């Protein structure tokens, strides 16, 4: 199969591209990424030179280029991972979130329709459901109630995907996953930010009381779930993906500090995020019963492997913090 992966230079996208190349030795993967601040080709060094892998620097909002890529590479499936993904940035300004997450998805749906793409997988988030109280979990039937501009843009995209499937017969599916962690996660998100700050003996900024709950899933388990839905999911269906692994932010941060041997005095309570969702928890029984997917990585194993990864790849995140990673691909393109 020839698969177009969008946003393949980001955190989940790069993990997905690498896993698809290794799990499916006959597949060709085309990665379209605009290389925003979150896109980093250093994540894909392992794929460079692989004849089954092509990188195209482009914006998913650019219909003409999307058409050219689909035609030139005889694309059969699209996995749309590209997005503006950080809640805090969407609070500062929502325009790019609407452009990429809503506009870009619509461009890809139109292209999928025109080229009769066989599979369109929209990678969405549990944040479209809003916030839970102390009890209950999000099922696929939970009404959409996005609270942040980021979540609202993802919910809008989900509705367009379902509408294109219903109206135009685009063979689309949606996944909604809980919070991911693992290698190559940009150090603006909770886990990598806390690891990087602790390693630099900088304060760890905890929003509000630190008791907000997230349901953490290792990115390798998310990639395995995407693979299962891409190949075996039922068109027009939403699949929730989660780790059944709820932790408060403070619990996560204390585990990180303990593993790094750093003092809890680094924890610094700061002003809460506006509109901060209190709790996310996912009921993933549909994907488990229909597709046989199950998380394989426990949080304890996954978090300690992730902390080790950030320790062993210090230059990777230091180059991000210093902005040097942008130089890497600027030079690479100038030399080509
Ligand atoms: P990320 O910010 O690390 O990566 C996003 C990638 O998309 C970057 O490489 C960026 O350059 C690219 N991109 C952005 N705008 C683009 C555009 N207009 N055209 C082409 N490329 C563009 O994000 P992530 O954490 O890897 O998340 C990826 C997807 O997974 C998002 O759709 C997000 O909603 C979803 N998701 C993330 C999580 C999580 O915990 N990180 C959980 C559930 C779902
Ligand atoms: P984040 O990684 O931004 O993911 P999301 O908001 O999409 O769930 O944040 C995870 C949790 O950590 C969330 O409750 C906000 C909190 N948080 C902090 O307390 N401090 C921080 O510096 C960051 C980035 C997040």
């Amino acid at each position: 199969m020839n698969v177009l992966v969008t946003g393949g230079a980001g955190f989940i996208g790069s993990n997905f591209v690498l896993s698809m190349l290794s799990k499916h030795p006959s597949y060709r993967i085309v990665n379209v990424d605009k290389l925003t601040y979150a896109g980093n080709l250093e994540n894909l060094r392992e794929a460079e030179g692989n004849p089954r892998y092509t990188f195209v620097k482009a914006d998913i909002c650019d219909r003409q280029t999307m058409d050219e890529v689909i035609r030139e590479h005889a694309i059969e499936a699209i996995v749309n991972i590209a997005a503006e993904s950080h809640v805090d940035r969407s609070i500062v300004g929502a325009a790019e979130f609407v452009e990429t997450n809503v506009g870009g998805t619509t461009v890809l749906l139109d292209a999928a329709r025109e080229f009769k793409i066989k599979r369109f997988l929209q990678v969405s988030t549990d944040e479209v459901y809003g916030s839970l109280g102390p009890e209950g979990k999000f099922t696929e039937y939970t009404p959409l109630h996005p609270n942040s501009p980021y979540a609202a843009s993802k919910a809008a995209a989900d509705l367009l995907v379902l509408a294109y499937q219903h109206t135009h017969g685009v063979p689309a599916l949606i996944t909604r996953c809980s919070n991911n962690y693992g290698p190559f996660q940009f150090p603006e998100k909770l886990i990598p930010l806390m690891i990087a700050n602790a390693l630099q003996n900088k304060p760890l900024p905890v929003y509000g009381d630190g008791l907000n709950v997230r349901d953490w899933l290792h990115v390798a388990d998310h990639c395995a779930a995407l693979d299962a839905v891409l190949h075996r999911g039922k068109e027009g269906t939403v699949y929730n993906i989660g780790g059944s692994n709820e932790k408060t932010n403070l619990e996560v941060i204390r585990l990180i500090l303990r593993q790094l041997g750093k003092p809890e005095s680094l924890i610094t309570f700061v002003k809460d995020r506006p509109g901060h969702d209190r709790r996310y928890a996912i009921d993933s029984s549909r994907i488990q019963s229909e597709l046989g997917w199950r998380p394989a990585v426990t949080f304890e194993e996954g978090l300690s492997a992730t902390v080790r990864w950030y320790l062993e790849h210090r230059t990777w995140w230091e180059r991000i913090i210093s902005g040097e990673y942008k130089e890497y691909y600027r030079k690479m393109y100038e030399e080509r």
Side-chain angles (χ1 to χ4, degrees), residues 194-196 198-199 255-262 307 311:
M194 297 300 157
I195 299 172
L199 285 172
L255 282 170
I256 292 170
L257 287 172
R258 206 168 311 145
Q259 194 176 335
L260 290 174
K262 297 285 182 179
V307 170
L311 273 168

Side-chain angles (χ1 to χ4, degrees), residues 137-248:
K137 291 188 173 194
F138 298 132
T139 73
E140 288 85 356
Y141 298 104
T142 302
L144 301 186
H145 193 297
N147 287 321
S148 69
Y150 159 67
S153 69
K154 294 293 291 186
D158 284 10
L159 293 178
L160 281 158
V161 170
L162 292 173
Y164 269 65
Q165 193 273 336
H166 182 81
T167 307
H168 299 301
V170 171
L173 312 97
I174 296 177
T175 55
R176 294 184 180 143
C177 190
S178 59
N179 286 62
N180 282 215
Y181 68 98
F184 301 124
Q185 187 167 29
F186 198 87
E188 66 182 353
K189 305 275 166 62
L190 180 77
I191 289 181
L193 179 77
M194 297 300 157
I195 299 172
N197 278 17
L199 285 172
Q200 299 169 96
N201 300 310
K202 284 190 185 165
L204 310 191
V206 177
Y207 299 162
D209 60 8
L211 298 179
N212 301 66
V213 172
R214 296 294 183 263
D215 177 353
W216 294 96
L217 183 75
H218 193 273
V219 64
D221 280 328
H222 188 187
C223 291
L226 296 179
D227 190 317
V229 174
L230 176 66
H231 291 95
R232 294 181 283 113
K234 221 167 50 219
E235 273 173 33
T237 306
V238 174
Y239 292 91
N240 281 354
I241 306 169
S244 292
N245 178 56
E246 294 179 46
K247 295 268 182 277
T248 66

Side-chain angles (χ1 to χ4, degrees), residues 9-283:
F11 162 49
I12 295 168
S14 56
N15 279 284
F16 184 70
V17 166
L18 296 176
S19 77
M20 288 290 281
L21 285 170
S22 83
K23 280 190 192 150
H24 301 287
S26 65
Y27 283 20
R28 291 197 297 147
I29 307 291
V30 180
N31 169 17
V32 165
D33 198 295
K34 183 181 169 184
L35 299 179
T36 66
Y37 78 94
N40 185 353
L41 288 179
E42 292 186 19
N43 303 0
L44 292 155
R45 280 211 165 126
E46 208 184 304
E48 276 171 24
N50 185 329
R52 295 187 293 112
Y53 170 71
T54 308
F55 173 70
V56 180
K57 181 177 185 311
D59 188 331
I60 58 165
C61 302
D62 173 354
R63 176 67 199 271
Q64 199 186 327
T65 307
M66 293 309 105
D67 284 2
E68 282 164 16
V69 168
I70 291 170
R71 202 178 295 114
E72 186 186 336
H73 297 278
I75 293 298
E76 297 162 276
I78 297 177
V79 182
N80 184 26
I81 307 182
E84 287 296 333
S85 69
H86 192 42
V87 173
D88 291 330
R89 288 180 188 256
S90 80
I91 295 169
V92 176
E96 283 172 328
F97 287 74
V98 176
E99 263 164 51
T100 288
N101 301 1
V102 188
T105 301
T106 311
V107 164
L108 292 171
L109 285 166
D110 280 328
R113 192 182 156 205
E114 179 166 333
F115 288 92
K116 301 195 168 36
I117 293 297
K118 295 196 191 99
R119 265 338 223 181
F120 187 103
L121 173 54
Q122 174 71 4
V123 177
S124 187
T125 163
D126 63 352
E127 300 192 29
V128 297
Y129 297 121
S131 184
L132 289 166
E135 301 294 322
K137 291 188 173 194
F138 298 132
T139 73
E140 288 85 356
Y141 298 104
T142 302
L144 301 186
H145 193 297
N147 287 321
S148 69
Y150 159 67
S153 69
K154 294 293 291 186
D158 284 10
L159 293 178
L160 281 158
V161 170
L162 292 173
Y164 269 65
Q165 193 273 336
H166 182 81
T167 307
H168 299 301
V170 171
L173 312 97
I174 296 177
T175 55
R176 294 184 180 143
C177 190
S178 59
N179 286 62
N180 282 215
Y181 68 98
F184 301 124
Q185 187 167 29
F186 198 87
E188 66 182 353
K189 305 275 166 62
L190 180 77
I191 289 181
L193 179 77
M194 297 300 157
I195 299 172
N197 278 17
L199 285 172
Q200 299 169 96
N201 300 310
K202 284 190 185 165
L204 310 191
V206 177
Y207 299 162
D209 60 8
L211 298 179
N212 301 66
V213 172
R214 296 294 183 263
D215 177 353
W216 294 96
L217 183 75
H218 193 273
V219 64
D221 280 328
H222 188 187
C223 291
L226 296 179
D227 190 317
V229 174
L230 176 66
H231 291 95
R232 294 181 283 113
K234 221 167 50 219
E235 273 173 33
T237 306
V238 174
Y239 292 91
N240 281 354
I241 306 169
S244 292
N245 178 56
E246 294 179 46
K247 295 268 182 277
T248 66
N249 295 335
L250 273 176
E251 282 174 312
V252 172
I253 292 166
R254 289 201 174 109
L255 282 170
I256 292 170
L257 287 172
R258 206 168 311 145
Q259 194 176 335
L260 290 174
K262 297 285 182 179
E264 290 199 3
S265 56
L266 288 175
I267 293 175
T268 308
F269 290 92
V270 299
K271 202 165 153 256
D272 207 355
R273 168 189 282 173
H276 197 174
D277 284 340
R278 191 63 173 170
R279 175 172 167 259
Y280 301 147
I282 277 269
D283 175 344

